[in-house]
Amino acid sequence: MQEESDLVTGEAVVLDLRVAKLASRGVAMLLDVLVQGALLLIVVVTVTLTSSDLDPALTIALLLSVFVLIVIGYPVLFETLTRGRSLGKMALGLRVVRLDGGPIRFRHALTRALAGFFVDFWALGFLGAVAVIVSLSSSNGRRVGDYLAGTLVIRERVPQSAQAYVAMPPGLEDWAAQLDLSRLPDDLALAARQYLNRFHELRPDAAHALGQGLADQTAHAVGVAVPHGMPAWVFLSAVLAERRNRDQARLAQQVYAGPPPAYAGPQPAYQQTQPQPFQQQPPSQQLQPVVQQSQQQFQPTAQQTQSQHSPPSTAEQPQPAQEPQATAPQPENPFTPPS
């Protein structure tokens, strides 16, 4: 049976929804019926014990009202508050959605509940025979209430399939190393990977047609034709494996290139200041500090100038030689420093 819906929205978007089939919907319906039966039994026992003094016609009318409220009000209340899930659907991971994939509202839940009571299950449904026949005849497992309300029951909890490891086919390492994979788009590579993961689940003719189309698109993007006699899945495996190896090598080169710079903490906020107006000065004023500094550095002191340019004093002029005179010896002063 078909498990994915082929619905298309008004914006020409194909909905990839996992529709719920008859088995899962039947189990969810059975759980809801058990809950409804338990509630109905509790209410009937309560009304019977507390309405002994009431009129029998009033008691029957009260029980009929409670029955309609439980059978019709239960799915309407739960599916409106939970956006398409009753207790049974919660247990089975199902949800009721519109045909465009959006959540249902009160009018959708009310239409499904009324159609389920009068047509699908109880009044004219022969205890669910109409719902079973219509659901088996529908490609998406829809019953009469779904057709009237424009809804669809889908599966929310889908088992995730393990991603297969795409290995390089033996002998194609050197050939794949020469390919230019820079123009291969990511969506095409993802589609090819999904095809390789589901290759064994497809029919042989469908697998061949889908693989050949993906191989032709990949070859056009890479710029190399598919070698003669090479299967499509081998060509796609070689291209994807080489693309993965190059990405891993590039990532390893970035990781081992060196440690990142240490974190210096938050930088101070930038404060914008007004630029100071430029004051044009004449060249004489601009060079005046430099001239003064040079003059102070190279200007000799007053003593040096006087010693260089002044004539020698009389005290320093040489005296004429005189004959030594005989003097009497004087006693030595003990406090006179030695010459």
Side-chain angles (χ1 to χ4, degrees), residues 32-312:
D32 289 333
V33 169
L34 292 178
V35 174
Q36 291 175 341
L39 292 177
L40 186 60
L41 180 61
I42 293 174
V43 172
V44 169
V45 172
T46 303
V47 171
T48 303
L49 295 178
T50 58
S51 63
S52 58
D53 298 336
L54 298 178
D55 185 69
L58 180 60
T59 303
I60 295 175
L62 183 60
L63 292 177
L64 183 60
S65 301
V66 170
F67 174 78
V68 173
L69 287 177
I70 291 178
V71 174
I72 299 180
Y74 167 84
V76 173
L77 178 64
F78 272 93
E79 292 183 359
T80 302
L81 296 179
T82 61
R83 298 299 182 91
R85 295 191 302 173
S86 61
L87 293 180
K89 292 182 175 63
M90 290 181 185
L92 271 294
L94 308 181
R95 181 186 290 272
V96 182
V97 296
R98 302 196 306 261
L99 291 181
D100 58 354
I104 65 172
R105 298 182 179 180
F106 174 76
R107 65 176 184 271
H108 304 95
L110 182 60
T111 303
R112 295 183 76 256
L114 292 176
F117 178 77
F118 289 103
V119 181
D120 287 323
F121 301 106
W122 308 119
L124 304 174
F126 300 100
L127 299 178
V130 175
V132 171
I133 296 174
V134 176
S135 180
L136 291 176
S137 303
S138 174
S139 59
N140 294 323
R142 302 169 64 189
R143 60 179 177 89
V144 178
D146 293 322
Y147 281 103
L148 296 178
T151 57
L152 178 70
V153 182
I154 63 173
R155 291 189 296 171
E156 289 185 320
R157 295 196 298 264
V158 180
Q160 298 181 357
S161 58
Q163 298 293 332
Y165 180 80
V166 180
M168 176 66 70
L172 298 180
E173 294 83 359
D174 298 337
W175 174 80
Q178 301 176 0
L179 298 178
D180 182 14
L181 305 180
S182 59
R183 295 179 299 174
L184 181 63
D186 295 337
D187 53 352
L188 181 57
L190 179 60
R193 182 175 295 275
Q194 293 177 352
Y195 163 75
L196 295 177
N197 292 337
R198 301 178 55 188
F199 175 76
H200 300 286
E201 301 177 3
L202 303 176
R203 296 192 304 268
D205 52 349
H208 176 73
L210 181 58
Q212 192 64 36
L214 292 175
D216 293 340
Q217 297 179 18
T218 305
H220 179 71
V222 174
V224 177
V226 180
H228 179 70
M230 178 181 293
W233 65 271
V234 176
F235 176 77
L236 296 176
S237 299
V239 172
L240 294 182
E242 179 64 22
R243 188 172 186 264
R244 183 196 62 238
N245 295 338
R246 293 184 184 181
D247 293 341
Q248 292 179 355
R250 188 181 304 110
L251 180 61
Q253 184 178 3
Q254 294 177 0
V255 170
Y256 293 102
Y263 178 67
Q267 300 295 332
Y270 175 73
Q271 298 180 359
Q272 184 177 4
T273 58
Q274 296 293 337
Q276 298 295 335
F278 177 74
Q279 298 178 0
Q280 180 69 25
Q281 297 181 356
S284 59
Q285 297 183 6
Q286 295 180 1
L287 298 178
Q288 184 176 3
V290 180
V291 174
Q292 293 178 358
Q293 182 178 0
S294 60
Q295 290 179 357
Q296 293 177 3
Q297 181 177 2
F298 296 100
Q299 183 177 5
T301 60
Q303 297 178 0
Q304 295 177 355
T305 306
Q306 183 178 0
S307 60
Q308 292 178 0
H309 300 281
S310 62

Side-chain angles (χ1 to χ4, degrees), residues 2 4-19 97-102 138-140 142 147 150-154:
Q2 183 182 3
E4 295 184 0
S5 65
D6 52 355
L7 303 178
V8 181
T9 63
E11 292 79 10
V13 178
V14 180
L15 298 179
D16 186 11
L17 302 177
R18 308 279 293 187
V19 298
V97 296
R98 302 196 306 261
L99 291 181
D100 58 354
S138 174
S139 59
N140 294 323
R142 302 169 64 189
Y147 281 103
T151 57
L152 178 70
V153 182
I154 63 173

